Amino acid sequence: MPGRGELLIWFLRWSRKNQTGKDSLHQVPPPPLCERGARGDFGWGTRSEERRVCMPRGYDFQRIEAKWQAQWEAAEAFAVREDPARPKYYCLEMYPYPSGKIHMGHVRNYTIGDVVARYLRMRGYNVLHPMGWDAFGFPAENAAFEHGVHPARWTLDNIAYMKSQLKRMGFSYDWAREVTCCLPDYYRWNQWFFLRLLERGLAYRKQSPVNWCDRCQSVLSNEQAEGGVCWRHTETPVAQKELSQWFLRITAYVEELLADGEKLAGWPERVRVMQRNWIGKSVGAEVDFALQRGGSLRIFTTRPDTLCGATFMVLAPEHPLALELSRGTSQAEAVAAFVARMRQTDRSLRTDAAAEKDGVFTGAQAINPLTEEPIPIWVANFVLMEYGTGAIMAVPAHDQRDFEFARKYGLPIRLVIQPDGSDSLDAAPMEAAYEGEGRMVHSGRFDGLASQAGKEAVCDALERQRIGQRAVNYRIRDWLVSRQRYWGTPIPVIYCDACGIVPVPDRDLPVILPPDVEITMSGGSPLARVETFVKTACPRCGGPARRETDTMDTFVDSSWYFLRFTSARETARPVDPAKVGYWMPVDQYIGGIEHAVLHLLYARFFTKVCRDLGLTAVGEPFSNLLTQGMVCKESSRCPEHGYRLPAEVDKAGRCTTCGLPVEVGRTEKMSKSKKNVVDPDELLAEYGADTIRLFSLFAAPPEKDLEWSDDGVQGAFRFLNRIWRLVDERPELLRAAEGKRWSAGQPEEAVRSLRRATHQAIGKVTRDLEDAFHFNTAIAALMELAGALVRFLDQLPPGSAAADGPPDRLLAFAEAVRALVVMLAPFAPHVAEELWESLGESESIFRQRWPEADASLAMEEALEIVVQVNGKVRGRLQVPRGTPEAALRRLALEERRVRQWIEGRTVHKLVVVPDKLINIVAGS
RNA sequence: GCCGAAGUGGCGGAACUGGUAGACGCGCUACGUUCAGGGCGUAGUGGGGGUAUCCCCAUGGGGGUUCGAGUCCCCCCUUCGGCACCA
């Protein structure tokens, strides 16, 4: 097998050779140097010449960020290895598709993860924080088709650029563990997994109707075709095609996926619900209805208790009996016409809930097994062949769809369930089906049973008579993994005329994706046209054979990449079980909600397979899941030129091209098509990574949508400048604090007050990060501490006089500054490192332990107690903490304003909440 | 239609187990700064009334529980998200 580097070179040589026109799509210019440059300089504009000379420059984020990124890289600051002595923490963000450049969604996602990783390192955890590339996929082929760039070249160029962007954001990844799915050292293990699944009957080939997206020129899994549209091109409806394809048997794990899913306490409720809905378990029975002409018709129902109310039956138009039953009857022509019409109707249109019920009588009758009455068999649009048996018993009194159908075609409605506490429900005047539970009526020997007991009793009877049995149905289907695409993992299977389907032997892995290929975006799998790839020898008989030319769904890659990160350079097997054992499960997974049923369901399935293969002990990959909100911005639209970029609109809100006023649209997810995007590169040049990070954390809690605001970014930048000045403006104070000791007595109020602010901030920030990820309020607490520091400095004598003052002042100041800088570090790591160094520290701030709040120092001494009269605030008392209740009552009743409010009234009651408030209940 | 989440100043958002609604930031206003601009600093900033001590109203709307409700309960409205003929 070629090595990683070897293959890369090979691809690049190939692409240079084959390049037409542009050499590369990614002649991306270096980030523009903003003319405004390091804005922090302005802070010094009016300072004295003396200061300008002796002080360092202002907050020069470009220099600082480059400096610390280089230091982290040189020191391999974020490289980790297993260490049983320390608690581990695996922090993972969903890896990106290398589409070209990172977007603000990535910035937000990865900033959240980075704060978690950096914070937990400072709390003493051994933190695994890796990053990689979801590098196979359709857009690379699109680029190849449109621009003549080889998918490998395009992908690897994009990765190189995006990696540089992630580094410039200061994210603390262990890059030694980087995985790139499109390289054989990764995808060979996809093939290895496929072979293991094949051995266990969990991979199989089947002919069936499948989803086809014309723009992808490929089939899709059900999950990727949700709602009848392609997940990548939501404007493209998927078509149905009858094809022979490879499937993974996710349904073999469905009960486990369901049961374990309910136990995922660290997942958002809505994701669990979406997965539960997707799996769509329903419990009921399969029942054979005898046909009057002989034979039987099997149906699935979740309501065996309503069996006596079945007054007709309905077949899906594709049901094999539909045409057959009508043959020879007067309905034959009508049924044939109806079935033909349904075949032509677009499937998503036909299955739209809003579509009217439509059907036709087959001319045949079945026998209700309980009532033994003949009932007519119909064919209708609303019954789906893919679900259950493709046929239903219709109980119009207790199923709304059946009810509507019965009313439209004048079919009988027979009430067999009375709602609890009522016996008045009557079929004739019903306007809607009663779908709830109740008591069985008109059901012969079952009369009087409650629905639940009735279901059991009917099932027992059916099983005794051998005309039915209990059954469970699921909405979820097996995972279709074949793709008619080039840029994916070749499916390691060979077709031999003599031996049939033959798996590629493990020793022949990887089946390498051949570099020489023509991407035409039509006419099936590109690999099918690469003869050197297709033609091979059968591993079993040695005779001429053909390779499978489809590749795997790229969701296979992402189904186990989190396992690979634990042992990314393992060459003998997909992962090292010992390393997986140390790191798994992922403690915190962070990504977008759009993968609620796609990636997150597949990954859970794959993890269970890996467990059964002995590669991991865990059955669930992600203990905690955070689904971050979208990054939004208002869009602008020019009546002449359509959507406009922010830069194409001037300050007065006019289009820079034509001068017409633009229409400001609503705030919505940033997207290229709406042009309401901001470019991370421009922000990096203008404000630096720390400001971007700080703003995207401060503007909204992580799980909510974030509205991008240029003014808000300014605010974050101002805050960092403020802290910079705070530390940098009075170095003599910090120097003077060194070696000093706290004096013995009670310090002055200014010192107590600053220490109180410091320890309150430590408590608040720590709680906000521990309990839930309340980054926005944690940053607010840092801003408050900065405010307290400014107020403290204002009270000090100017110049060097302060340095000669009492040591407590200097110590309190140093304590506050150090706490502020340390707590700032996870959010704005570069500036924190730089300030930490300027405080005289030689070691990285990330080797610093997180500060501990001293509760006794944080405690407020004087309290303001609110005095209410009948629930309204009428006065305030300043009292020392712990003032006895009796004294509080007396003070409250004596308060000037309170006296006015209770004068002439009787005080009925006094509610005292210690150290909080007093409410005086007074009558008139 | 069903299920879920959420509605708080001009804006983004705070508010622990019911206990001072509006932290923090943005914006805005005034003032300061040897002040062109920008930057920085100080003060103010939910609405209404009053010269003022102060008063009234206010967390989508309406009821309720409670000494006390943004927070708990019921009904309604709106927005967003998910599911949507799944038998």
Side-chain angles (χ1 to χ4, degrees):
Chain A
M1 159 193 166
R4 195 183 157 81
E6 203 178 321
L7 192 97
L8 243 149
I9 291 161
W10 176 39
F11 267 136
L12 295 180
R13 189 179 305 137
W14 182 92
S15 54
R16 255 199 307 280
K17 190 175 67 195
N18 289 274
Q19 210 91 114
T20 55
K22 282 179 271 185
D23 181 52
S24 166
L25 284 182
H26 283 278
Q27 298 266 320
V28 183
L33 279 176
C34 174
E35 69 277 17
R36 274 184 275 184
R39 292 186 171 205
D41 286 353
F42 294 129
W44 298 99
T46 60
R47 302 284 165 177
S48 69
E49 272 310 302
E50 174 205 47
R51 270 208 165 137
R52 203 185 272 272
V53 172
C54 71
M55 295 292 292
R57 301 175 58 214
Y59 170 44
D60 181 356
F61 58 85
Q62 299 207 341
R63 180 185 62 84
I64 294 168
E65 293 181 0
K67 168 181 165 183
W68 288 101
Q69 283 161 18
Q71 293 216 7
W72 294 330
E73 186 146 342
E76 293 179 20
F78 311 113
V80 277
R81 50 178 41 196
E82 300 73 47
D83 176 3
R86 279 196 296 160
K88 70 93 184 179
Y89 193 94
Y90 187 174
C91 176
L92 182 68
E93 300 108 59
M94 291 182 185
Y95 69 168
Y97 179 78
S99 54
K101 297 176 111 187
I102 62 169
H103 54 66
M104 293 312 295
H106 293 128
V107 167
R108 185 175 192 204
N109 188 172
Y110 300 157
T111 299
I112 292 167
D114 200 54
V115 173
V116 173
R118 288 183 184 267
Y119 169 69
L120 287 163
R121 277 188 205 108
M122 295 173 85
R123 295 236 62 146
Y125 285 86
N126 191 26
V127 176
L128 173 57
H129 189 217
M131 185 43 74
W133 309 99
D134 185 15
F136 267 143
F138 172 71
E141 276 177 78
N142 222 0
F145 180 67
E146 287 175 11
H147 304 287
V149 186
H150 193 274
R153 174 76 190 239
W154 184 82
T155 304
L156 296 173
D157 279 356
N158 286 350
I159 288 173
Y161 188 73
M162 289 170 76
K163 188 172 175 180
S164 79
Q165 289 185 298
L166 296 183
K167 287 187 173 178
R168 279 186 282 140
M169 283 299 302
F171 298 138
S172 60
Y173 299 123
D174 179 358
W175 282 109
R177 294 167 184 268
E178 179 179 10
V179 304
T180 306
C181 291
C182 66
L183 298 178
D185 67 349
Y186 187 84
Y187 72 69
R188 71 168 294 174
W189 302 113
N190 285 345
Q191 296 172 339
W192 183 90
F193 278 119
F194 188 90
L195 295 174
R196 300 293 84 76
L197 288 160
L198 198 58
E199 286 162 5
R200 286 161 186 253
L202 294 171
Y204 63 93
R205 196 172 164 81
K206 181 181 79 170
Q207 164 106 10
S208 68
V210 292
N211 307 301
W212 173 270
C213 172
D214 219 46
R215 286 203 41 205
C216 293
Q217 281 287 305
S218 179
V219 297
L220 300 172
S221 71
N222 281 355
E223 288 77 11
Q224 288 163 333
E226 204 182 329
V229 293
C230 172
W231 69 297
R232 277 198 182 280
H233 317 104
T234 47
E235 70 292 349
T236 311
V238 294
Q240 297 291 301
K241 269 197 180 182
E242 184 83 13
L243 288 171
S244 185
Q245 299 283 294
W246 286 100
F247 291 84
L248 300 186
R249 208 179 294 280
I250 191 170
T251 54
Y253 286 87
V254 67
E255 278 299 327
E256 219 190 324
L257 287 166
L258 209 49
D260 291 353
E262 299 306 322
K263 289 184 251 165
L264 292 170
W267 282 38
E269 171 72 14
R270 60 184 191 134
V271 177
R272 294 206 308 258
V273 169
M274 281 161 80
Q275 293 213 348
R276 193 193 307 137
N277 288 345
W278 184 258
I279 291 170
K281 178 180 182 177
S282 35
V283 178
E286 286 191 356
V287 188
D288 292 320
F289 280 62
L291 298 173
Q292 219 164 35
R293 57 149 219 196
S296 68
L297 172 60
R298 172 161 289 202
I299 59 97
F300 173 74
T301 179
T302 55
R303 293 297 298 273
D305 56 320
T306 64
L307 183 46
C308 291
T311 52
F312 59 101
M313 305 190 75
V314 189
L315 302 176
E318 299 85 355
H319 196 286
L321 282 180
L323 291 170
E324 196 186 316
L325 284 177
S326 64
R327 203 163 294 144
T329 74
S330 58
Q331 288 298 98
E333 241 171 77
V335 172
F338 179 78
V339 169
R341 185 154 60 83
M342 284 299 131
R343 287 230 167 101
Q344 279 167 16
T345 312
D346 186 79
R347 197 174 157 284
S348 56
L349 220 79
R350 203 185 98 198
T351 56
D352 182 359
E356 207 194 332
K357 305 270 175 296
D358 194 6
V360 62
F361 177 47
T362 60
Q365 306 275 336
I367 309 291
N368 183 315
L370 292 188
T371 64
E372 297 183 354
E373 286 167 13
I375 55 175
I377 304 173
W378 287 63
V379 181
N381 60 347
F382 70 95
V383 175
L384 309 172
M385 193 59 216
E386 315 84 85
Y387 191 81
T389 61
I392 62 160
M393 67 175 197
V395 185
H398 305 293
D399 183 289
Q400 186 58 26
R401 296 156 298 178
D402 301 348
F403 180 84
E404 286 167 25
F405 195 77
R407 276 284 146 90
K408 178 169 176 185
Y409 292 103
L411 293 158
I413 296 173
R414 181 183 169 121
L415 191 92
V416 292
I417 299 286
Q418 276 294 344
D420 290 322
S422 148
D423 49 11
S424 53
L425 197 61
D426 181 18
M430 276 172 96
E431 282 173 20
Y434 171 70
E435 296 187 321
E437 302 207 323
R439 192 166 33 78
M440 290 174 72
V441 294
H442 304 127
S443 297
R445 62 198 152 108
F446 300 103
D447 278 357
L449 288 176
S451 289
Q452 276 308 323
K455 284 180 186 172
E456 300 301 324
V458 171
C459 285
D460 287 341
L462 294 170
E463 285 173 0
R464 246 188 334 268
Q465 292 177 58
R466 297 177 182 283
I467 52 166
Q469 70 274 317
R470 288 172 171 82
V472 177
N473 250 293
Y474 302 93
R475 204 176 85 111
I476 191 174
R477 299 281 94 125
D478 278 335
W479 176 9
L480 166 51
V481 290
S482 309
R483 294 292 177 272
Q484 287 71 50
R485 301 286 1 126
Y486 165 69
W487 197 230
T489 305
I491 293 173
V493 160
I494 289 166
Y495 300 99
C496 168
D497 284 341
C499 309
I501 294 175
V502 182
V504 172
D506 279 0
R507 61 169 189 277
D508 293 342
L509 295 187
V511 177
I512 294 271
L513 205 52
D516 288 290
V517 68
E518 193 193 356
I519 311 282
T520 55
M521 296 307 287
S522 63
S525 291
L527 287 180
R529 294 185 297 268
V530 182
E531 205 160 312
T532 51
F533 176 81
V534 176
K535 273 192 176 168
T536 187
C538 171
R540 201 163 288 167
C541 69
R546 300 173 56 79
R547 283 191 193 279
E548 167 67 63
T549 57
D550 283 354
T551 53
M552 292 184 207
D553 184 358
T554 57
F555 278 96
V556 172
D557 309 339
S558 53
S559 291
W560 67 283
Y561 79 111
F562 44 90
L563 295 171
R564 181 72 180 172
F565 276 136
T566 66
S567 36
R569 298 292 165 260
E570 178 68 46
T571 54
R573 47 204 168 160
V575 293
D576 176 344
K579 292 181 175 173
V580 172
Y582 178 80
W583 291 112
M584 286 297 288
V586 173
D587 294 279
Q588 184 64 57
Y589 197 32
I590 306 162
I593 187 76
E594 65 274 17
H595 287 295
V597 279
L598 283 156
H599 160 59
L600 290 169
L601 190 62
Y602 298 143
R604 293 182 59 215
F605 160 56
F606 240 75
T607 301
K608 291 176 195 305
V609 170
C610 287
R611 178 201 57 200
D612 293 346
L613 290 170
L615 295 171
T616 175
V618 303
E620 283 293 335
F622 314 123
S623 301
N624 295 290
L625 174 69
L626 175 74
T627 50
Q628 102 266 6
M630 299 182 298
V631 181
C632 300
K633 196 176 192 313
E634 62 190 18
S635 55
S636 300
R637 215 191 157 105
C638 165
E640 195 72 20
H641 299 92
Y643 284 112
R644 304 264 76 190
L645 289 166
E648 294 167 340
V649 180
D650 66 17
K651 270 217 150 63
R654 291 170 185 280
C655 172
T656 49
T657 311
C658 63
L660 285 169
V662 297
E663 193 184 309
V664 175
R666 58 180 216 156
T667 298
E668 52 197 326
K669 183 180 181 178
M670 280 190 183
S671 74
K672 280 183 195 143
S673 59
K674 299 267 166 37
K675 293 200 174 179
N676 57 342
V677 288
V678 290
D679 182 358
D681 281 343
E682 287 173 23
L683 288 167
L684 273 168
E686 193 166 353
Y687 296 101
D690 284 337
T691 294
I692 305 172
R693 293 169 58 116
L694 199 68
F695 174 73
S696 53
L697 295 163
F698 180 66
E703 65 282 355
K704 287 184 65 177
D705 287 352
L706 181 156
E707 191 184 334
W708 196 261
S709 148
D710 295 334
D711 289 332
V713 178
Q714 281 278 0
F717 185 71
R718 269 203 287 269
F719 172 62
L720 291 180
N721 273 286
R722 195 174 205 213
I723 292 187
W724 181 267
R725 287 194 306 273
L726 212 48
V727 178
D728 220 44
E729 216 165 306
R730 307 296 297 270
E732 76 283 3
L733 293 184
L734 294 162
R735 272 199 303 274
E738 277 171 41
K740 292 269 194 317
R741 287 174 170 276
W742 293 99
S743 53
Q746 160 97 323
E748 61 188 320
E749 166 55 24
V751 167
R752 295 204 309 276
S753 161
L754 180 62
R755 299 200 76 191
R756 200 181 308 130
T758 303
H759 287 270
Q760 281 179 353
I762 295 170
K764 171 76 175 151
V765 174
T766 308
R767 270 194 310 278
D768 282 348
L769 294 182
E770 284 297 315
D771 302 348
F773 300 125
H774 291 164
F775 307 118
N776 55 334
T777 50
I779 292 167
L782 294 178
M783 290 172 166
E784 285 186 87
L785 178 55
L789 267 163
V790 167
R791 280 192 298 281
F792 178 81
L793 281 179
D794 283 348
Q795 295 172 17
L796 293 185
S800 57
D804 303 327
D808 286 359
R809 286 186 188 168
L810 304 172
L811 289 166
F813 179 67
E815 176 186 53
V817 166
R818 291 170 67 91
L820 179 60
V821 171
V822 170
M823 290 193 290
L824 183 66
F827 307 103
H830 311 87
V831 67
E833 285 272 34
E834 182 71 13
L835 291 173
W836 191 242
E837 190 184 63
S838 77
L839 292 174
E841 300 287 340
S842 53
E843 202 175 48
S844 165
I845 196 167
F846 294 100
R847 306 187 70 99
Q848 187 68 13
R849 285 304 284 257
W850 192 256
E852 295 275 350
D854 182 331
S856 64
L857 290 170
M859 182 113 65
E860 293 286 350
E861 300 160 13
L863 294 174
E864 188 180 69
I865 299 219
V866 166
V867 185
Q868 298 180 331
V869 178
N870 292 336
K872 287 201 157 125
V873 181
R874 298 300 182 191
R876 291 155 205 274
L877 301 172
Q878 308 292 330
V879 298
R881 176 174 290 278
T883 304
E885 205 175 305
L888 286 178
R889 285 166 178 268
R890 189 171 43 77
L891 286 167
L893 292 169
E894 282 171 2
E895 212 273 342
R896 189 178 46 82
R897 268 171 71 203
V898 172
R899 279 221 311 263
Q900 287 174 6
W901 280 97
I902 58 176
E903 200 175 36
R905 298 183 180 191
T906 15
V907 173
H908 296 300
K909 194 174 167 186
L910 235 87
V911 181
V912 180
V913 182
D915 292 342
K916 262 270 159 61
L917 97 168
I918 297 162
N919 191 10
I920 300 166
V921 188
S924 44

